[in-house]
Amino acid sequence: MKNHFLFSTILMLLISIGAYSQIEISTNENTLLISAEKGKTARLLYYGDKLSEVSHFKNVGSSLGGGRDLYPAFGLNCSGEYAIQVTHEDGNMSLELVVENTNQKVENGVQLTTIVTKDKVYPFWVTLYFKAYANSNVIETWTEIKHQEKSNVTLFKAFSAALQLPAGNHWLLQLNGNWASENCITESLLAPGTKLISNKEGVRNTQTDNPSFMVSVDGPLSENQGNVVGGALAWSGNYKLLFQVNSSDKLDIIAGYNEEASHYFLAKNEVFKTPAFLMTFSNRGKGQISRNFHRWALNDGGLYGAKKPNDILLNSWEGVYFNINQQVLDTMMTDFAKIGGELFVMDDGWFGDKYPRNTGKTSLGDWSVAKAKLPKGIEGLIETAKNNGIKFGIWIEPEMINSTSELFEKHPEWVIQQPNRQTIKGRGGSQMTLDLSNPKVQEYVFKIVDDLMTRNPQIAYIKWDANHMITNYGSTYLPKDKQSHLYLEYHWGFEKVVQRIRNKYPNLVMQACASGGGRITYSHLKYFDEFWTSDNTDAFERLYMQWGVSQFYPAKGMASHVSAKKNHQTGREIPFKFRFDVAMTGRLGMEMKPSDLSEQEKAFAKQGIKIYKEIRNLVQFGDLYRLLSPYENNGRTSLMYLSPNKNQAVFFAFNPISRKGSDLPPFKMDGLNPDANYKLVEINYEGDKPRIGGDNYILSGRELMNSGINLGMINGGYKSIVILLTKI
Ligand code: GLA
């Protein structure tokens, strides 16, 4: 690394004296090469596998040859997809951005490259930033836009990044779904023309599509082979990912906030910062792309609280829904503590004094305890948690309001609205979204958390929900001529509030929830320790959704709960062990009344929780190797988490299919040290003793990866196995 940075520094020195105009942005395994000659348009020359010598890039097979504009602007050469379009104060709609200066430095092990570009005629600047994280091979890029024209410039579009990949056979992996089926995988060939993945909900932005993708240039995507580019936009609002196979068969990719109904009037000297776009390249298929993103999340600040393990929790929602009272919660806490649980989270239904929250129709906005339900207040619950040696957490939905609430009586103007039209409401026919562009609303949302925490500093965890979108687009706060700023200002307001909460409460654990998996982005995860993966807790469905989420987001953040025998969302009945094992592949939790469990199930849950504590570091901090995809094998799934030193791993296999006589192929593992021997022991088994374990189950990494192991077990439907591998 040292040498590499030395090389970069010398290179930059040469650039500054005009000898070269190429900038090499590098991680341990990737290179992004840019041409940035002073007075000329900055060009993207190459993105891919690490280049050994910059000067030879033109001969590398996957180079782009002549290069294309690094940040294509509308106006002069505008037939292709562009990243920025503005109207200057004199009405001119064009931009011609040329390099003014560049800079490259290393700060805390991260290489930061800055390319300042300026319009040839107008005092208008676009500065491009690239942060290269060496070990995770992720490059984070964003732009900052500024001008010194006499009056406002209108920004009609300002995307985060533009990429181009060479001609080839381009395949796209995207995540899509809906409520209770979020983040499932679709892979398809990118045909000539434009493919758009976008969001326009305004608040939740990952319930239908996720702003992350993988693209291969060499045909269908594979788990372990082939050149793949992965991208993820870190933005909590509306977005666009645009893929265009152009007339030369090259693939243009543009990613950024969704500019529709969002033109922005940029004042003189104001800085407009675009959301960050994260990219990584792998020559070893999808698996390595995922591991790169996970490493970045865990080590480079992508996931809040990434260094401390997440607790095993019981959430009250599916156990009691709105029927909260001190006695029932006391019992849940006592029962959960007995089986080894660590944290209890009180979900919806605890608040509303004048209008107690008994359904989804009322009370959002009134964040004081419903005294009839909880006479001893939150203090009473914290007391029970403390007596049982567990932590206490609480659910809030602070961006939202019901029309039946004291807050609405006091501040009807705080709602996002079109005053002269009938209001379209959400959940319960009464839910609306508060106007976070308004600093008074920002203050109010901050105070919801601040008041809770000031009164009850023992609150260890907040589940932050958001169950509505932006309807009735309009703000009573923003002036008449800035109504089009609302989609953007909402999320800048949101970020201000969560940043303020983080500054004051750095150790508070927070979960991002939005009707389930509606807020799974690296914009949220910068502030939140974890996310609620989906309201659908059916273990079979979760195999697919969690496989999807794992493409970009780490298991540590992926809340995964064991729920009732007959699943509340699908009605499907799945054996307890299978449900438990699926939940153990993420951040384990429970979502039920423990008193509904049989004695046998309680004993199994106690064992499962104990085992999860033993494997927690592997699951939450290990490297994920996906072995068998449910999408390709009718739900049959296998994956493993490996410690970074390859000394220990936990392997999971699931077979939901009930078919007699169909032998399963051997399970081949991955990532192990081929020359090391591993001892295999089944854990979390039912019955007296493990089926796998003992001297017969010592195998080399090479055998485990090349030949695999036979797990004759898994027939008969909803069977699963968990195996701990230890290097001997
Ligand atoms: C949303 C969440 C659930 C639960 C309910 C409470 O649907 O996703 O987990 O908290 O709200 O109303």
Side-chain angles (χ1 to χ4, degrees):
M1 273 319 298
K2 255 196 190 147
N3 285 345
H4 178 65
F5 284 127
L6 189 69
F7 172 69
S8 298
T9 314
I10 294 169
L11 184 72
M12 283 315 297
L13 210 67
L14 292 170
I15 288 166
S16 61
I17 57 172
Y20 286 102
S21 60
Q22 282 175 12
I23 298 184
E24 188 201 10
I25 295 169
S26 6
T27 67
N28 289 353
E29 295 178 9
N30 296 175
T31 300
L32 176 71
L33 196 65
I34 289 165
S35 137
E37 202 173 325
K38 203 167 174 171
K40 299 239 167 96
T41 307
R43 288 180 179 277
L44 170 69
L45 299 179
Y46 171 88
Y47 180 49
D49 218 2
K50 180 88 166 199
L51 292 177
S52 50
E53 268 189 63
V54 171
S55 53
H56 293 155
F57 86 92
K58 278 197 170 168
N59 300 324
V60 176
S62 64
S63 87
L64 296 170
R68 63 78 74 59
D69 289 6
L70 183 61
Y71 196 66
F74 177 82
L76 298 180
N77 195 0
C78 42
S79 59
E81 288 299 332
Y82 46 89
I84 182 165
Q85 198 260 301
V86 307
T87 298
H88 297 281
E89 53 100 25
D90 64 359
N92 185 305
M93 289 176 64
S94 67
L95 274 176
E96 191 179 10
L97 297 167
V98 296
V99 176
E100 197 174 64
N101 61 67
T102 62
N103 186 17
Q104 201 168 40
K105 60 183 176 192
V106 177
E107 269 175 4
N108 306 324
V110 181
Q111 181 198 47
L112 174 67
T113 306
T114 311
I115 302 171
V116 183
T117 68
K118 184 186 166 296
D119 187 81
K120 268 190 166 170
V121 177
Y122 291 86
F124 188 99
W125 289 264
V126 174
T127 304
L128 298 127
Y129 293 87
F130 297 88
K131 264 187 173 180
Y133 299 87
N135 293 327
S136 55
N137 293 305
V138 167
I139 296 175
E140 178 182 5
T141 177
W142 72 96
T143 69
E144 288 182 10
I145 299 158
K146 194 181 93 167
H147 73 86
Q148 289 177 343
E149 299 185 24
K150 282 193 215 98
S151 55
N152 289 349
V153 169
T154 313
L155 222 55
F156 283 98
K157 181 190 240 188
F159 277 11
S160 301
L163 267 181
Q164 192 178 67
L165 302 185
N169 183 6
H170 303 107
W171 281 71
L172 171 75
L173 176 149
Q174 66 186 99
L175 300 181
N176 64 302
N178 209 329
W179 177 77
S181 65
E182 297 90 344
N183 293 297
C184 290
I185 296 175
T186 302
E187 293 184 12
S188 55
L189 172 75
L190 285 167
T194 304
K195 158 103 183 173
L196 177 67
I197 297 174
S198 69
N199 177 272
K200 295 186 190 177
E201 273 209 33
V203 178
R204 296 170 294 209
N205 72 350
T206 70
Q207 198 161 53
T208 50
D209 297 276
N210 194 289
S212 311
F213 64 88
M214 292 190 206
V215 169
S216 130
V217 183
D218 319 316
L221 288 136
S222 131
E223 186 64 26
N224 292 317
Q225 280 165 10
N227 292 344
V228 181
V229 170
L233 184 74
W235 177 235
S236 57
N238 295 350
Y239 62 82
K240 274 190 179 171
L241 306 176
L242 202 136
F243 304 84
Q244 187 181 58
V245 177
N246 67 25
S247 50
S248 331
D249 283 341
K250 289 180 178 173
L251 175 65
D252 285 318
I253 303 172
I254 302 197
Y257 74 86
N258 191 331
E259 82 287 4
E260 287 176 38
S262 290
H263 49 286
Y264 189 84
F265 301 102
L266 189 67
K268 185 176 179 177
N269 283 327
E270 181 186 351
V271 176
F272 184 97
K273 184 175 173 187
T274 68
F277 175 71
L278 308 161
M279 55 188 169
T280 184
F281 172 85
S282 146
N283 58 17
R284 301 191 295 285
K286 296 181 276 189
Q288 192 56 41
I289 293 282
S290 304
R291 286 187 290 279
N292 289 352
F293 277 121
H294 298 170
R295 281 282 135 234
W296 180 80
L298 294 173
N299 297 336
D300 297 323
L303 176 68
Y304 193 84
K307 297 292 170 211
K308 53 175 201 273
N310 285 350
D311 288 326
I312 302 164
L313 66 82
L314 170 66
N315 188 54
S316 69
W317 182 240
E318 287 194 28
V320 292
Y321 292 102
F322 293 105
N323 306 320
I324 274 178
N325 65 57
Q326 175 88 37
Q327 201 191 350
V328 87
L329 298 194
D330 280 353
T331 310
M332 286 172 99
M333 285 190 262
T334 314
D335 291 347
F336 191 50
K338 274 191 201 145
I339 57 172
E342 298 170 324
L343 163 71
F344 175 75
V345 182
M346 172 170 67
D347 206 290
D348 201 350
W350 61 268
F351 53 93
D353 203 15
K354 180 169 170 191
Y355 304 107
R357 172 89 164 168
N358 295 320
T359 67
K361 291 184 196 306
T362 70
S363 323
L364 291 175
D366 302 347
W367 300 103
S368 51
V369 162
K371 289 204 195 75
K373 296 183 180 186
L374 298 169
K376 290 198 253 166
I378 293 171
E379 296 78 359
L381 297 167
I382 289 177
E383 188 62 25
T384 311
K386 205 171 127 204
N387 291 340
N388 283 288
I390 61 173
K391 298 178 200 164
F392 181 80
I394 195 164
W395 177 96
I396 51 173
E397 196 180 353
E399 297 153 79
M400 303 294 162
I401 184 167
N402 284 119
S403 44
T404 306
S405 67
E406 289 184 76
L407 183 69
F408 191 61
E409 287 164 0
K410 250 197 340 233
H411 286 297
E413 79 285 6
W414 281 4
V415 172
I416 288 179
Q417 59 190 276
Q418 279 289 343
N420 49 0
R421 298 186 194 279
Q422 205 187 344
T423 306
I424 296 169
K425 298 184 185 122
R427 190 180 186 191
S430 59
Q431 184 160 337
M432 297 168 289
T433 304
L434 292 171
D435 181 358
L436 263 179
S437 72
N438 184 342
K440 285 194 182 134
V441 175
Q442 292 167 19
E443 180 63 26
Y444 154 83
V445 172
F446 171 76
K447 269 189 70 70
I448 295 170
V449 174
D450 197 34
D451 287 351
L452 273 173
M453 294 303 295
T454 310
R455 281 189 215 124
N456 312 284
Q458 303 91 332
I459 291 178
Y461 178 104
I462 281 183
K463 173 175 176 180
W464 181 305
D465 212 338
N467 291 314
H468 193 41
M469 44 194 176
I470 291 184
T471 52
N472 320 296
Y473 184 98
S475 166
T476 62
Y477 168 75
L478 293 171
K480 238 183 3 206
D481 58 353
K482 289 198 175 152
Q483 290 291 307
S484 62
H485 291 196
L486 179 57
Y487 279 134
L488 291 166
E489 294 279 5
Y490 184 95
H491 290 279
W492 292 334
F494 171 75
E495 284 202 39
K496 266 189 217 155
V497 173
V498 284
Q499 182 63 63
R500 219 176 135 195
I501 291 170
R502 276 314 179 197
N503 292 346
K504 189 154 179 195
Y505 302 104
N507 297 323
L508 177 68
V509 176
M510 294 208 290
Q511 182 189 72
C513 174
S515 321
R519 274 188 165 171
I520 310 180
T521 71
Y522 278 118
S523 156
H524 296 103
L525 295 183
K526 199 168 147 194
Y527 305 102
F528 291 84
D529 303 69
E530 57 172 46
F531 50 86
W532 183 221
T533 312
S534 175
D535 274 353
N536 187 345
T537 53
D538 176 320
F540 177 68
E541 303 275 350
R542 278 297 187 107
L543 286 177
Y544 291 83
M545 284 186 267
Q546 297 184 177
W547 196 266
V549 165
S550 83
Q551 305 293 317
F552 304 97
Y553 305 98
K556 181 174 186 294
M558 188 170 70
S560 184
H561 295 180
V562 183
S563 58
K565 182 169 185 198
K566 183 161 180 164
N567 187 268
H568 292 189
Q569 290 77 36
T570 62
R572 191 180 272 127
E573 292 195 17
I574 294 180
F576 198 51
K577 173 176 159 58
F578 192 95
R579 278 180 277 147
F580 226 97
D581 287 350
V582 171
M584 278 166 75
T585 64
R587 195 278 286 130
L588 175 68
M590 296 181 81
E591 185 94 15
M592 56 164 57
K593 268 206 292 217
S595 58
D596 289 342
L597 294 174
S598 68
E599 286 310 310
Q600 204 184 354
E601 285 170 332
K602 272 187 204 156
F604 190 80
K606 192 172 176 184
Q607 165 191 290
I609 287 175
K610 183 168 171 278
I611 286 168
Y612 186 78
K613 287 176 185 168
E614 286 159 19
I615 61 168
R616 170 163 37 198
N617 280 353
L618 284 171
V619 174
Q620 296 194 3
F621 302 109
D623 286 319
L624 168 68
Y625 285 86
R626 287 181 300 250
L627 307 171
L628 204 65
S629 163
Y631 290 86
E632 292 155 19
N633 297 282
N634 293 320
R636 284 175 182 156
T637 307
S638 175
L639 62 142
M640 62 193 277
Y641 294 100
L642 182 66
S643 65
N645 63 9
K646 299 184 187 287
N647 285 350
Q648 230 190 8
V650 58
F651 164 92
F652 295 87
F654 301 94
N655 185 19
I657 304 168
S658 169
R659 278 189 66 199
K660 283 206 180 105
S662 58
D663 261 12
L664 293 181
F667 285 82
K668 290 182 188 165
M669 301 198 184
D670 201 357
L672 298 167
N673 176 352
D675 300 321
N677 288 327
Y678 293 89
K679 189 169 144 198
L680 276 61
V681 179
E682 182 182 1
I683 53 175
N684 210 33
Y685 51 85
E686 287 170 312
D688 302 340
K689 54 178 187 338
R691 284 191 312 106
I692 289 182
D695 293 346
N696 292 342
Y697 286 95
I698 293 175
L699 291 133
S700 73
R702 183 171 287 105
E703 285 157 354
L704 287 164
M705 293 191 289
N706 294 345
S707 308
I709 51 165
N710 286 316
L711 298 172
M713 60 127 197
I714 355 200
N715 261 328
Y718 292 116
K719 291 285 163 56
S720 56
I721 189 162
V722 188
I723 297 171
L724 186 68
L725 285 83
T726 312
K727 186 178 154 206
I728 51 166

